[in-house]
Amino acid sequence: MYSLSLFTKNSLVYRVNWLRAKARVDRWVEEEILVKHEMQWTILWFQNQVDLWTVRLNTKSHKLPPGHKSYAIKQQKLWNAFLMKASEKFSLYI
């Protein structure tokens, strides 16, 4: 029967725990990178929506009915508010 000394068993336990801790740290570092990228993507998405509704509002090819124009203005302001809030909150981290 194969028997490990007490020192070897303890050493093995410490190595396993160290590897688990290192893997956990590596996962959190990766998660931090991903979350920062997601914050940037969110800001870019909000900016894209502001630009989209600005283009729809300023379309010269056809005159918008008053209700459509009001809706486009509302959407533009809504997405701009999202953009400002996200930029303000995320600027602490990215």
Side-chain angles (χ1 to χ4, degrees):
M1 176 120 200
Y2 184 74
S3 173
L4 292 173
S5 70
L6 182 61
F7 177 76
T8 308
K9 288 179 185 177
N10 286 340
S11 177
L12 181 62
V13 168
Y14 287 126
R15 277 187 268 160
V16 168
N17 284 335
W18 184 87
L19 288 170
R20 285 181 180 166
K22 183 180 182 321
R24 186 171 38 250
V25 167
D26 291 346
R27 283 193 304 270
W28 279 105
V29 167
E30 181 183 13
E31 185 68 23
E32 181 183 16
I33 292 167
L34 290 173
V35 168
K36 286 181 179 182
H37 280 96
E38 288 171 356
M39 289 178 186
Q40 291 172 337
W41 297 333
T42 301
I43 290 171
L44 290 173
W45 171 253
F46 291 159
Q47 181 61 56
N48 180 57
Q49 291 298 306
V50 170
D51 296 344
L52 177 71
W53 284 102
T54 302
V55 167
R56 289 177 178 169
L57 180 63
N58 297 327
T59 300
K60 301 292 185 201
S61 62
H62 61 281
K63 184 165 172 51
L64 288 176
H68 292 199
K69 188 171 184 173
S70 295
Y71 183 79
I73 291 169
K74 179 181 174 184
Q75 288 297 308
Q76 182 187 32
K77 287 181 181 180
L78 175 75
W79 288 105
N80 196 46
F82 288 161
L83 174 63
M84 293 297 113
K85 191 66 145 179
S87 296
E88 174 189 333
K89 296 294 184 181
F90 295 162
S91 67
L92 301 172
Y93 307 105
I94 56 175

